Amino acid sequence: MEKKIFSGVQPTGNLHLGNYLGAIKNFVQLNNDKKNKCVFCVVDLHAITVYQNPKELKDNILETVATFIASGIDPKKSIIFNQSQVSAHSEAAWILSCIARMGWLNRMTQFKEKAGKDKEKASIGLYSYPVLMAADILLYDSTHVPVGDDQKQHLELCRDIAQRFNNDFGAESFFKIPEPLIQKEFSRIMSLKDGTKKMSKSEISDLSRINLTDGKDQIINKIKKARTDTLPMPSNVQELDSRPEAKNLIGIYSSLCGISTDNSIQQFSGKNFSQFKEILSQILIEKIIPISSEIKKLLNERDYLTKILSEGCKKADEIASKKIKKIHEILGF
Ligand code: AQP
């Protein structure tokens, strides 16, 4: 069956190992399957739900495209574009915000986490972010959405919005009901400083994450300083439940090597963390440095990156504006 894939990444800088292992690595595999039609979006409208410096945003948009290409997404095969350049996204988000219910959005845990205690000061965009995400996905009749585990709830909301629209307007299967594609293992990479917190771009400490632009020495230093406990390496999977930092580092190792957690545990059982960390650094260098070098090279080719976006925008606009036209007809505009 042909799969229609849609996913997005925010151009908020510091793309990291979590974004790569949780999402982008999966994008590359989907891109490589001839049967799939993939759309990968740089979601700049999502980024402005919190303040962005305009000059940095411009650079980060190109850096996100560079990261896609450096990781192995082929712009001839997949559509790569930025959200703000296809106006159908903003329009569909408004329309769908009239379908989504306050009660549904009130349950979104990411808003609660990101807004923190000061909800009154959060932007309305941050609150309605999942509605824009639903618009992104539904405009392309997407059947599958590869995301990290943190986006699962937003995808469920997208399915509810699609179903409600179809029911309210008697437009059976007008919006396709998309399936999440979430990796069973390693779908949430945690901070190197706290195994209970997600690795994230906005975390102040750079030591909490491996950035996809980090060099060899930075990787070695960050892994050396990564938090662990005082026990030797675990000898079974059950032990990981109470040892979040060990679980995270073993998860990163397993994901990079493409092996199971069990297999990694057997390799390192009883050894001390410093031996494991050396090997982990080596594998990170092997996998991340080629991407990091390619990103740096591509960032000197701004015209090339801009051309990829403008060609992608044309293709995306063609699909999305047709869908908006049909939405207008259904609504009676
Ligand atoms: N730590 C993570 N582990 C696994 N997957 C992750 N993703 C993000 N962090 C992790 C996945 O990466 C894709 C793109 O994410 P995004 O750009 O939309 O931003 P985000 O999820 O808000 O990422 P951050 O790093 O957590 O940013 P901030 O700090 O700004 O909140 C998504 O598929 C996401 O699941």
Side-chain angles (χ1 to χ4, degrees):
M1 187 191 92
E2 177 192 270
K3 286 189 187 134
K4 288 190 179 172
I5 310 289
F6 183 96
S7 200
V9 172
Q10 295 188 65
T12 38
N14 299 333
L15 279 170
H16 52 72
L17 188 68
N19 298 125
Y20 179 70
L21 295 177
I24 299 171
K25 189 171 156 229
N26 211 355
F27 297 177
V28 176
Q29 276 164 7
L30 292 162
N31 165 89
N32 290 345
D33 185 335
K34 284 202 181 79
K35 290 197 293 297
N36 297 336
K37 285 201 169 140
C38 301
V39 180
F40 297 118
C41 187
V42 180
V43 287
D44 48 8
L45 294 172
H46 281 281
I48 62 161
T49 53
V50 294
Y51 174 78
Q52 302 295 325
N53 172 301
K55 159 89 180 65
E56 283 171 19
L57 181 61
K58 215 179 223 338
D59 290 343
N60 286 335
I61 290 170
L62 293 186
E63 188 170 319
T64 310
V65 180
T67 305
F68 284 170
I69 310 290
S71 303
I73 296 174
D74 177 1
K76 291 202 186 77
K77 184 158 188 308
S78 296
I79 298 178
I80 297 174
F81 76 106
N82 58 326
Q83 196 184 22
S84 60
Q85 301 309 298
V86 177
S87 58
H89 288 254
S90 313
E91 188 176 346
W94 172 258
I95 293 167
L96 296 182
S97 74
C98 301
I99 305 294
R101 305 290 101 182
M102 294 282 285
W104 301 353
L105 281 170
N106 285 341
R107 286 197 284 276
M108 296 298 115
T109 52
Q110 193 181 77
F111 174 74
K112 290 178 196 156
E113 281 159 22
K114 290 203 170 175
K117 288 196 189 88
D118 226 349
K119 280 197 198 58
E120 297 286 315
K121 287 198 179 146
S123 72
I124 293 169
L126 191 67
Y127 179 73
S128 61
Y129 174 117
V131 180
L132 175 59
M133 179 168 158
D136 301 338
I137 295 166
L138 299 176
L139 278 172
Y140 298 88
D141 291 334
S142 316
T143 58
H144 294 82
V145 184
V147 281
D149 177 64
D150 58 320
Q151 293 296 329
K152 194 171 168 204
Q153 197 185 30
H154 290 167
L155 209 72
E156 278 157 12
L157 182 96
C158 169
R159 291 164 61 92
D160 289 344
I161 294 174
Q163 247 144 8
R164 172 127 194 184
F165 183 97
N166 291 351
N167 290 344
D168 281 1
F169 295 98
E172 205 191 324
S173 11
F174 173 69
F175 281 134
K176 302 282 168 289
I177 311 298
E179 295 289 337
L181 283 180
I182 300 175
Q183 297 168 106
K184 284 194 190 74
E185 281 194 293
F186 328 121
S187 57
R188 190 180 285 241
I189 303 299
M190 311 310 270
S191 157
L192 298 179
K193 288 277 141 204
D194 179 349
T196 62
K197 275 196 195 155
K198 191 179 88 148
M199 186 178 283
S200 132
K201 302 180 192 122
S202 53
E203 166 60 50
I204 294 162
S205 168
D206 195 52
L207 289 174
S208 68
R209 62 180 165 261
I210 303 285
N211 299 309
L212 295 178
T213 48
D214 280 348
K216 196 173 156 191
D217 293 344
Q218 282 164 302
I219 292 177
I220 293 172
N221 184 40
K222 286 178 180 180
I223 294 299
K224 209 179 259 171
K225 293 198 169 140
R227 185 157 145 191
T228 50
D229 49 43
T230 51
L231 301 170
M233 291 290 291
S235 52
N236 60 63
V237 178
Q238 288 73 29
E239 255 185 79
L240 297 182
D241 292 342
S242 55
R243 301 179 62 185
E245 283 81 20
K247 182 176 179 181
N248 189 38
L249 293 181
I250 289 175
I252 292 173
Y253 177 81
S254 312
S255 180
L256 289 168
C257 296
I259 59 175
S260 69
T261 311
D262 246 344
N263 197 329
S264 300
I265 289 178
Q266 277 166 25
Q267 272 183 46
F268 296 101
S269 167
K271 296 213 167 76
N272 58 40
F273 272 102
S274 60
Q275 287 167 296
F276 167 68
K277 280 181 166 185
E278 260 176 46
I279 296 173
L280 176 60
S281 293
Q282 285 315 313
I283 183 90
L284 273 164
I285 289 167
E286 205 176 286
K287 302 280 180 186
I288 300 302
I289 294 299
I291 296 176
S292 154
S293 312
E294 187 64 16
I295 294 174
K296 285 173 193 145
K297 192 184 124 221
L298 286 167
L299 286 177
N300 290 319
E301 299 175 29
R302 290 173 76 94
D303 289 349
Y304 170 62
L305 298 173
T306 308
K307 190 162 165 251
I308 289 174
L309 279 180
S310 64
E311 283 174 3
C313 284
K314 257 188 233 147
K315 291 182 201 158
D317 191 55
E318 212 169 285
I319 304 170
S321 52
K322 273 192 199 139
K323 194 76 180 174
I324 279 285
K325 220 168 162 198
K326 289 190 196 144
I327 295 174
H328 279 208
E329 283 164 22
I330 289 174
L331 290 173
F333 283 168

